[in-house]
Amino acid sequence: MRGIVVRDEGVALEDGVEELLSDEGILVEVAYSDLNYKDGLAVTGRPGVVRQKPLVAGIDMVGRVAESNDERWAKGDWLVLNGAGLSETRHGGYAELARADSDLAVRVPDGLEPEQAAALGTAGYTAALSVLRLVMEGLTPEDGPVLVTGATGGVGSVAVMLLSAAGFEVTALTGRPDKFGDYLRGLGADQIVTRESLGQPGRPMQKALYAGVVDSVGGQILANAIAQTIPHGTVAACGLAASPDLPASVLPFILRGVTLAGIDSVWATVEDRADAWRVLARGVDLDQLDAMTSRVGLDDVITAGEDLLAGRLHGRTLVEL
Ligand SMILES: NC(=O)c1ccc[n+]([C@@H]2O[C@H](COP(=O)([O-])OP(=O)(O)OC[C@H]3O[C@@H](n4cnc5c(N)ncnc54)[C@H](OP(=O)(O)O)[C@@H]3O)[C@@H](O)[C@H]2O)c1
C-alpha cells in the first residue's frame, strides 16, 4: 500500500505504509483525500503540523470501511474524517489504507458523492462550521453584508458559496481581484474588495460595514475586519494564511459588542461535524464545486503542496487514491 510519509529525513511517497498503522479505530480503504493549507505545510516538510514521525500525511480521508469492531460502522460504509489529529499525531489520509477514529468519523451525507465530500474536505467543513457559528450568534441576512477574507482559497470559496446560498450579501476580500473576480462573482460574491484595502494598520474603530466576517487570514486584515464590524456583529476567525498575529484593540468588543468567535475544525464534536456536513450537502452548488476542483494523484501531491504555499492554486484540490 502506498502513502506519503513524513520522516526526519524528508517526505516521500513510499510503499508498505500498512506496516506503520496501529490497530486503533477502524480500518479504511481510502478512496480520496484533498489538499489543504496544513497539508501543503506537511508535504513540503515545513514545521507546524506533523508532531511525530514517521507519519502518513493528509488531514482528511474519505473511504470505505474495510474492517470494524465498532457496531456503528459496517464493512462497506462510506465515511469522512477531517482533522482529529490526522497528519499531526495520527497517520492521515494520503495512503491507500488508514485507521479512522470511529467516534469522530461521520457518514458521507446524503446529497454528496464521496469524491465531492473529499473535494470540500477540511476547508469546506471549516467554512461550514464558521457559517454555522455566525448563525448561532444570531446573524441573519437582514443584518447586513458578510465579509469573507482569503476568498479565493478553499475555506473562503466555500464560505462565499454557502453564505450566498443562504441569502446573505457577500463581500469577498482577495489579493487577486483581476484574475479571480469573475470566479468569486460566480460563487455568489456581491462585492469584491482588495487585500490591500484592509492590509494597513487602521483605527481601532472604523466605519461599521459588516454584520459578520469569515476570516481565514488573520493579522492586520482580521484586525481591520473587526474594526469594521457593526454593533453586535460576529467575526469567525478560522485561519492564519497571512499571519497568526492579531494587532487589534478591545474597543470594538466593549463599545460595539462585537463577538470574536474561534473556529477549531480539528477537535470539533461529532455532532458539529455532522451538522457542518449537512449544511455542505444542502448549500454547495455541485456544478460550481466541480468547476473549482482540480485533481491530482498521490504522485503529484508534494508538488501541488508547493504550489498551494506559493499561492499558485485557487479553489480545491482533490487527491484521488
Ligand atoms: N481553524 C481551523 O480548524 C482551520 C481549518 C481549515 C483551515 N484553517 C486555516 O485557514 C487558512 C486558509 O486555509 P485554506 O485551506 O483555505 O488555504 P488556501 O486554499 O491556501 O487559501 C488561503 C487564501 O488566503 C489568501 N492569502 C494567502 N496568503 C495571504 C497573505 N499573505 N495575506 C492575505 N491573504 C493571503 C489567499 O486568498 P486571496 O488570493 O483570495 O486573497 C489564499 O487563497 C489557513 O491558515 C488554514 O490553516 C483553519
Side-chain angles (χ1 to χ4, degrees), residues 122 126 150-155 174-176 195 216-217 238-242 263 265:
T122 279
T126 302
T152 68
V155 175
T174 179
R176 300 177 285 178
R195 197 188 282 175
S216 62
V217 303
C238 66
L240 41 61
I263 306 297
S265 68

Side-chain angles (χ1 to χ4, degrees), residues 181-205:
D182 288 344
Y183 164 78
L184 289 169
R185 279 183 280 271
L187 296 180
D190 298 284
Q191 298 92 28
I192 293 177
V193 293
T194 63
R195 197 188 282 175
E196 292 75 41
S197 66
L198 267 77
Q200 298 306 316
R203 286 178 289 116
M205 301 256 287

Side-chain angles (χ1 to χ4, degrees), residues 33-44 49 58-61 81-83 86-87 94 117-127 153-155 158 265 301 304-309 313 315-319:
S33 185
D34 59 290
L35 187 72
N36 299 279
Y37 189 81
K38 279 168 75 175
D39 295 314
L41 294 175
V43 299
T44 57
V49 178
I59 67 170
D60 292 326
M61 67 172 79
L81 181 60
N82 310 103
L86 299 181
S87 186
Y94 290 160
L120 288 162
T122 279
Y125 147 70
T126 302
V155 175
V158 179
S265 68
V301 168
E306 292 283 6
D307 288 343
L308 183 141
L309 295 185
L313 302 183
R316 299 290 297 142
T317 303
L318 175 73
V319 178

Side-chain angles (χ1 to χ4, degrees), residues 14 32 46 66 88 112 121 138 178 182:
E14 296 183 8
Y32 304 102
R46 288 170 170 82
E88 294 180 347
L112 288 181
D178 295 338
D182 288 344

